[in-house]
Each structure stands twice: as C-alpha cells, then as structure tokens.
Amino acid sequence: NTPTATMADTQASSSSSSSSSADASDIMFDRETMRVFYSRLFPFKQLYNWLSYSHAEPESYFLNREFAFTDMDEIFKRFQCYTNLQDFKQSVTKLCPQRMEIGPVYSYPPKTQGSYGSPIETKERELIFDIDMDDYDAVRRCSCRGKKILCNSCWSFIKIAIQVVDKALDESFGFDQRIWIFSGRRGAHCWVADKRARLMNNATRAAIVNYLLILKKAKHNDQVLTLPLNLHPFFFEIYHRTLLPAFESEILLAHKVLAPENWDFVLSFIPDEELRNSIRAEWDTQQQTEEQRWSQLKNPVERAIQQGKSKTKFQYKTNPIVNIVFTYTYPRLDDHASTATNHLLKSPFCVHPGTGNICVPIDTARLDEFDPTKVPQLRQVLAELDE
C-alpha cells in the first residue's frame, strides 16, 4: 500500500500553513539542519513499508531497491541500497542528503552490481508521471513565467493535468494504487503502485504514455494542434467535463489568452481564412473583453461545425475550439520519465533544495484546496519542533 494515511495527514497540515515559498538564499541547508529533519521528521517507517509492498521477504526485496542522493557537497551518489529499515534510517541520517531520489527494484542489490555473474536487470518500477510547469511556458502568461517560482494562477495548469491523468489511470487502465506528490517547486509527480504497473516493461509503459501523449512538450508558440473532428470517447468526455470549463474559468483571463499581444496565435487555429480575418478586423476596431472575444470566436465556429459548413462554405475537418482548449489545458507529459524503468524520481517527503518546501502529497479529492504557496517548509517545521 502507498502511505496514504500519513500523507493525507501532512497534506491537511499544509493547508493551514501561512508560509510562502522561500528563495534559495533563505533556506537553512546545512548538515545539522538536515540531520534534525531526517532524525526527527522524515517518515522512514512509512516509506519502508510502502516500498516493501507487503512482500513475503521484505528485507531482501527492499535491499534490491535503488536510492540516489545529492549530499551537502553537491556530490551525486547512485545505486545505494539498504538491508532493512534501521540501516535505511541510520545511513540516510548520517549522510544528511539535500536531495533523495528513488529508483527501481533490481535483480540484486544495486550497490553490488558487477559482483554477480549476470548483468543487473530492472525487475520492478512504479509507473510514474512527472508534470513540470516549465513545459507550459509557451502558454502561461502570469508574472512568474520563466522564473523558478509558481503562483496559484499557473498552478491551474498542473491541477488540470492531475485531473486528466488521474482519471485516465483510473477509468482507462484500472489502476487504483495512485498517489500524487507536490514536486516542491513547480510541478507534481504521480506514483502508480499497482503490482501489474510495477511489473510492466518499457514497451508497455510507452503504450500507456502514447495513449495520453497528445501534446509534445511545446517550448514555442508555433505548434498548431489538429485533432480529429470525432474525438476518442475519453478525450471527448474530459474536454466537456474538465478542459473547457477550466479553460473558460481559470485560464482564459488569468493567462491573457485573447489579449492583443496573444490573439494572433489563437486565430492561427482557425483554418477558415475569411472568418479569421473577419474576427481579427472586429477585434482590432472594437473595445471588448476577453470573454466577448472568446464568444465571437467560439460561436460561429461551433455553428459551422454543427451545420456541416460555415457561411463562407468552408468545410471543417477539425474543431479549432477544441484544438485551442487542448493546447492550453491538456497535460504536457515528460514521456521519458514514464517509459524508462531506471528513471529516478524525487522521494515523497524530502525537502526541495531550491525552495525548502517539503514534497507533500496532494489529495485529489480536495484538489481545489491545495495551495502550492502554503505547503510546509523546512524552517517552518523545524521551528514547530522547538515550540
């Protein structure tokens, strides 16, 4: 089982915190600080129980799990492994790493690779998804765009991505052991721990990712998405239930989608040149809100698609409105993180070295309540220890 109860408790604690993300210069990253954090706060037992998966021989199973660390001297150490819970806790507390990552379960202890007659192989790995705000720089227009911070306005992109990916994992693939973790700065990680997910090879993982991978990570506003007019039932449903409502309520205004400096990109999705030029001319000459512009764009296109053709006799083979909404709201996935079984991912509950934020779980049932600017921070929780 994933450590859901403990993680949920920490998430509840985070919602009552009033501290905001610190700059790296404000973070107390020294060996003694991290020693206190690991010795008194880090949930080694819960992590050990989770990663042992009620195995008949938990110690031998856990021994084959890879951990990787970045220590206080910025030295990166891979292929670390531990014989049991006590060894795990003592070794990590002694090292006091500023960053801890979790890798796969290998065919034998990764630290001893080369000592066996056969090459080391990956035996198990959680299916993971890594969603990062940097991949949305082409479409986000908030004040923190391009910076190493995250505001509630751009968190909307991550929140929508969590809703879509979590729904697909549940309804399309039937995975029920899922947990989402705040990355500590600008994103979220999903761990899928069902046994059949852990046993999947790279090709099977790639098939799942390809099912979801509509948008490649776009770094520039030069990619016009073209989806078929008749969407797959899953994508049809998430468009109407999740993407379109979120686009109109959370993205359209907050990210200035139809502001004069951005509307040329949006209009480039309209294949009907006569309609495109007509809308641009109207926007150039009239003072309108972005909601009004969206209606002027959306309504004639949808009418034309319903009727089979527009007033200009243009035949639509794709829905530009759907394409626009998907471009702005659909998850931008790091496909390599999900398809490679040897990929490392930051451990839940570790401290992000750039912000001091603790990587806490995100309760998907209370997703609207999660505030990335108010998660527990290292200095906050250490101060609470002294109270």
Side-chain angles (χ1 to χ4, degrees), residues 86-206:
Q86 183 179 9
D87 181 30
F88 179 39
K89 181 174 181 177
Q90 288 180 348
S91 299
V92 175
T93 303
K94 181 179 180 181
L95 179 63
C96 296
Q98 58 171 292
R99 183 184 178 100
M100 179 166 71
E101 296 172 283
I102 300 173
V105 176
Y106 286 101
S107 49
Y108 51 80
K111 189 183 292 186
T112 63
Q113 59 178 310
S115 303
Y116 290 73
S118 57
I120 194 168
E121 297 178 352
T122 300
K123 289 297 186 182
E124 290 188 25
R125 178 60 165 135
E126 293 79 9
L127 175 62
I128 57 178
F129 292 88
D130 184 355
I131 301 171
D132 192 289
M133 197 65 245
D134 285 354
D135 297 324
Y136 290 81
D137 280 351
V139 293
R140 66 169 171 156
R141 294 291 181 272
C142 55
S143 59
C144 62
R145 181 190 179 204
K147 300 177 182 178
K148 299 296 184 181
I149 57 175
L150 183 73
C151 66
N152 278 312
S153 177
C154 55
W155 176 253
S156 293
F157 290 109
I158 306 296
K159 182 177 70 173
I160 297 166
I162 292 173
Q163 291 175 305
V164 172
V165 175
D166 200 64
K167 182 179 179 65
L169 293 172
D170 178 22
E171 298 183 8
S172 296
F173 299 102
F175 295 125
D176 56 19
Q177 295 294 312
R178 311 179 309 277
I179 191 164
W180 288 87
I181 305 292
F182 177 50
S183 70
R185 176 176 269 167
R186 299 184 309 279
H189 302 152
C190 180
W191 298 74
V192 183
D194 300 59
K195 187 172 183 178
R196 62 188 177 91
R198 304 196 313 266
L199 293 173
M200 290 189 305
N201 59 24
N202 288 358
T204 306
R205 294 165 194 263

Side-chain angles (χ1 to χ4, degrees), residues 1 49-55 61 65 124 126 193 198:
N1 293 326
N49 289 341
W50 170 34
L51 296 176
S52 297
Y53 292 110
S54 303
H55 198 275
Y61 178 82
R65 169 77 69 167
E124 290 188 25
E126 293 79 9
R198 304 196 313 266

Side-chain angles (χ1 to χ4, degrees), residues 243-289:
L243 302 185
L244 181 60
F247 175 82
E248 293 182 336
S249 64
E250 300 182 47
I251 305 299
L252 179 63
L253 296 182
H255 294 275
K256 306 174 184 177
V257 174
L258 292 179
E261 65 271 20
N262 298 323
W263 70 39
D264 278 346
F265 172 63
V266 176
L267 287 172
S268 69
F269 285 81
I270 309 300
D272 182 346
E273 183 178 3
E274 186 175 336
L275 176 61
R276 186 171 65 245
N277 291 337
S278 172
I279 293 173
R280 181 185 284 110
E282 192 166 359
W283 290 355
D284 281 336
T285 58
Q286 297 182 18
Q287 288 287 338
Q288 296 161 318
T289 65

Side-chain angles (χ1 to χ4, degrees), residues 293-339:
R293 291 177 192 140
W294 178 240
S295 295
Q296 288 178 330
L297 179 67
K298 179 182 174 184
N299 294 341
V301 170
E302 292 192 336
R303 279 197 303 269
I305 291 173
Q306 290 173 359
Q307 295 168 0
K309 60 183 179 181
S310 68
K311 291 182 178 179
T312 64
K313 310 302 182 184
F314 186 87
Q315 294 288 138
Y316 282 91
K317 297 180 180 180
T318 184
N319 187 331
I321 304 304
V322 171
N323 296 335
I324 291 167
V325 172
F326 267 81
T327 297
Y328 276 88
T329 60
Y330 192 78
R332 296 172 182 240
L333 303 175
D334 182 347
D335 50 335
H336 177 73
S338 301
T339 57

